[in-house]
Amino acid sequence: MASVAQKLSPIQVHLLRFFSEKPINDQETYELQQLIARFYAQKADTLMDDIWEEKDFDDAKMLEILDTTKKA
């Protein structure tokens, strides 16, 4: 499979420089992975809140959507 060269983003370059100067252990690697995961989870949560507000969803509407016993 041929690889496609991609330009690194500024954050990728920053992180590569940072971590090339400071070795990290397995625990720090895990903690950073968790931090990044929480960052993106929070962004997704905010986006979902915006969608719910835009669509005027509430818990009752979500239960209606999730009810698989209703026939289409």
Side-chain angles (χ1 to χ4, degrees):
M1 179 187 297
S3 65
V4 177
Q6 291 181 302
K7 183 178 178 181
L8 296 175
S9 71
I11 189 65
Q12 290 170 321
V13 171
H14 175 79
L15 291 171
L16 284 171
R17 284 187 182 139
F18 178 81
F19 291 116
S20 70
E21 297 170 5
K22 183 204 179 301
I24 61 172
N25 61 37
D26 289 344
Q27 180 61 33
E28 289 173 318
T29 299
Y30 174 78
E31 290 171 6
L32 286 167
Q33 289 171 332
Q34 295 302 305
L35 181 69
I36 292 168
R38 280 192 303 274
F39 173 80
Y40 283 107
Q42 185 178 35
K43 290 179 98 37
D45 192 44
T46 299
L47 180 59
M48 287 304 301
D49 286 345
D50 292 345
I51 291 170
W52 271 53
E53 188 173 315
E54 177 186 317
K55 301 287 187 180
D56 199 28
F57 284 176
D58 58 15
D59 290 341
K61 179 65 175 174
M62 190 51 56
L63 289 174
E64 179 184 328
I65 291 169
L66 295 173
D67 186 358
T68 58
T69 61
K70 291 184 179 179
K71 301 289 183 202

